[in-house]
Amino acid sequence: HLEYTKNFRKLLSIELNPPISEVIQAGVVPRFVEFLKRTENSRLQFEAAWALTNIASGTSEHTKVVIDSGAVPIFVQLLDSPHVDVREQAV
């Protein structure tokens, strides 16, 4: 799951015209939200959080997809993560 999530995150990190809509259409947002809950795998949480924040940084419709997926309450929980990189990505 980690490499899969990291590859999507890298796609979403492209500076000019990241393929946000295409990633959403691929149906991976709910999986990324599930990965946020994987407290035993902070690296996966970090990559999923980064991918989701990249999606949310697109249009208001993109942001709505992330909100509607239930990610926001989990991001709030991640603010208490013992892992600094996860906490920083959750902000």
Side-chain angles (χ1 to χ4, degrees):
H1 301 297
L2 180 59
E3 284 306 310
Y4 150 90
T5 305
K6 188 186 274 187
N7 287 336
F8 271 105
R9 187 263 303 159
K10 286 180 180 177
L11 268 177
L12 292 162
S13 296
I14 295 170
E15 198 167 321
L16 292 174
N17 301 317
I20 296 172
S21 294
E22 292 85 348
V23 170
I24 290 169
Q25 290 169 2
V28 297
V29 171
R31 288 294 277 163
F32 292 159
V33 173
E34 286 302 310
F35 294 160
L36 292 179
K37 301 174 186 175
R38 301 285 289 276
T39 56
E40 79 287 353
N41 191 339
S42 64
R43 202 68 213 145
L44 183 58
Q45 285 182 306
F46 172 77
E47 291 292 344
W50 194 349
L52 287 167
T53 56
N54 282 350
I55 292 168
S57 72
T59 67
S60 58
E61 279 302 309
H62 296 150
T63 305
K64 185 175 179 344
V65 168
V66 174
I67 292 168
D68 291 349
S69 72
V72 174
I74 304 165
F75 275 122
V76 172
Q77 291 173 357
L78 291 178
L79 295 174
D80 288 330
S81 171
H83 306 281
V84 174
D85 58 343
V86 173
R87 284 195 311 266
E88 288 176 350
Q89 199 57 54
V91 171

